[in-house]
Amino acid sequence: MDSHDEQDRKQMRYLYGGALCLTTLLYSLVIHTVAFHQFRLGMRTRVALSVMVFWKALRLSLTSAPAAGRIANLLATDVTRFDNAILIPYIVIGPLQLCIFSWLLWRELGWHAFSMVGIVTLLLPLQYVVFRYSSSLRICIATRTDDRTRFMNEFLNAIAVLKMYAWEHPFSAFVAKLRGSEIKGLARRARLQAAYLALFNASGKLLVLSAVLSLMLSGEREQMFTADRIFF
């Protein structure tokens, strides 16, 4: 009887191992195909919007046309956001995954699962603040780029006058000042994105750490602090 039970457990181990390998293989095959089609859709949307901006700029009169820097920012920065269209489905998938994982963690850890769910809930407003601040920085950078581009156009149109009066150095210093202000905004936004990515990559480890600490500090670690729950 014991040998029969041992044989059944061995078969279940092989079955679970094979199912894990199969699901990993299917995930690798499916996720790349889906990502390819989503990125292609985002690229086509970006190209279509770029063409619309281009044809609209050709139809504008000189009096109503915006600054050249604004159009350049639209084509170089704003429309590239559609390349990240792959993240749009996660607006719906994210809350659904949170509910499913919360239920599974509740079955395994009991009330200790709320520590992980609480950290995820706290990260949501932090992401909102980061995105709002990043958006304001992007608008500020676009404004500074518009100013620099407009000034450079005027500078090049009046280059003969500037050469005649030997005003190259003062104007070049002013352009360098504008460019320095633009670079400061870009560096600030890059640091913000680096901090956000670091927090995003460490969030999974923080969730596990919160659950383990909750188990250790609750006094129930003898009953619940087991290998299957830690690696769950």
Side-chain angles (χ1 to χ4, degrees), residues 35-102:
F36 169 75
H37 288 290
Q38 288 180 330
F39 276 121
R40 186 174 64 176
L41 178 61
M43 182 193 66
R44 289 178 175 177
T45 306
R46 174 174 57 85
V47 172
L49 290 175
S50 299
V51 172
M52 292 175 61
V53 171
F54 176 75
W55 285 109
K56 182 62 177 179
L58 292 180
R59 288 179 172 84
L60 292 175
S61 61
L62 294 177
T63 56
S64 61
R70 187 178 298 276
I71 298 177
N73 284 329
L74 286 175
L75 294 175
T77 305
D78 294 341
V79 295
T80 57
R81 304 300 173 188
F82 288 92
D83 288 335
N84 297 325
I86 187 175
L87 302 177
I88 294 178
Y90 286 95
I91 298 176
V92 179
I93 297 174
L96 181 61
Q97 287 181 336
L98 180 61
C99 295
I100 295 175
F101 291 154
S102 299

Side-chain angles (χ1 to χ4, degrees), residues 2-230:
D2 293 338
S3 60
H4 182 70
D5 293 339
E6 182 64 26
Q7 184 68 22
D8 291 340
R9 286 195 293 268
K10 187 176 181 180
Q11 291 178 356
M12 291 301 296
R13 294 190 192 103
Y14 283 121
L15 180 62
Y16 286 140
L20 179 61
C21 295
L22 180 61
T23 53
T24 304
L25 178 61
L26 290 177
Y27 175 79
S28 300
L29 295 176
V30 171
I31 191 64
H32 292 294
T33 304
V34 173
F36 169 75
H37 288 290
Q38 288 180 330
F39 276 121
R40 186 174 64 176
L41 178 61
M43 182 193 66
R44 289 178 175 177
T45 306
R46 174 174 57 85
V47 172
L49 290 175
S50 299
V51 172
M52 292 175 61
V53 171
F54 176 75
W55 285 109
K56 182 62 177 179
L58 292 180
R59 288 179 172 84
L60 292 175
S61 61
L62 294 177
T63 56
S64 61
R70 187 178 298 276
I71 298 177
N73 284 329
L74 286 175
L75 294 175
T77 305
D78 294 341
V79 295
T80 57
R81 304 300 173 188
F82 288 92
D83 288 335
N84 297 325
I86 187 175
L87 302 177
I88 294 178
Y90 286 95
I91 298 176
V92 179
I93 297 174
L96 181 61
Q97 287 181 336
L98 180 61
C99 295
I100 295 175
F101 291 154
S102 299
W103 178 70
L104 292 175
L105 289 170
W106 170 260
R107 289 184 56 189
E108 292 292 331
L109 304 178
W111 65 270
H112 303 284
F114 287 110
S115 61
M116 304 177 71
V117 178
I119 290 181
V120 174
T121 307
L122 291 176
L123 288 176
L124 293 178
L126 180 60
Q127 289 181 343
Y128 175 76
V129 171
V130 170
F131 286 147
R132 288 295 300 270
Y133 186 56
S134 177
S135 177
S136 64
L137 285 177
R138 186 169 60 87
I139 294 174
C140 181
I141 293 169
T143 303
R144 294 176 181 178
T145 304
D146 291 341
D147 295 338
R148 180 179 58 83
T149 306
R150 183 175 63 254
F151 182 80
M152 284 298 301
N153 290 333
E154 296 175 358
F155 181 86
L156 294 175
N157 291 332
I159 190 66
V161 177
L162 297 176
K163 286 286 187 180
M164 182 176 64
Y165 289 101
W167 287 346
E168 298 95 334
H169 294 292
F171 275 81
S172 62
F174 186 71
V175 172
K177 181 180 178 180
L178 291 177
R179 181 57 180 168
S181 177
E182 182 182 356
I183 290 175
K184 287 181 180 179
L186 290 171
R188 191 181 305 171
R189 189 163 183 261
R191 287 192 294 268
L192 178 65
Q193 289 179 343
Y196 172 73
L197 288 176
L199 179 62
F200 176 78
N201 292 327
S203 60
K205 307 299 185 296
L206 290 175
L207 295 177
V208 177
L209 178 62
S210 64
V212 172
L213 288 178
S214 177
L215 286 171
M216 293 183 65
L217 298 176
S218 64
E220 303 175 6
R221 56 182 180 271
E222 290 80 5
Q223 294 80 17
M224 302 188 65
F225 198 72
T226 56
D228 57 343
R229 290 190 172 92
I230 293 300

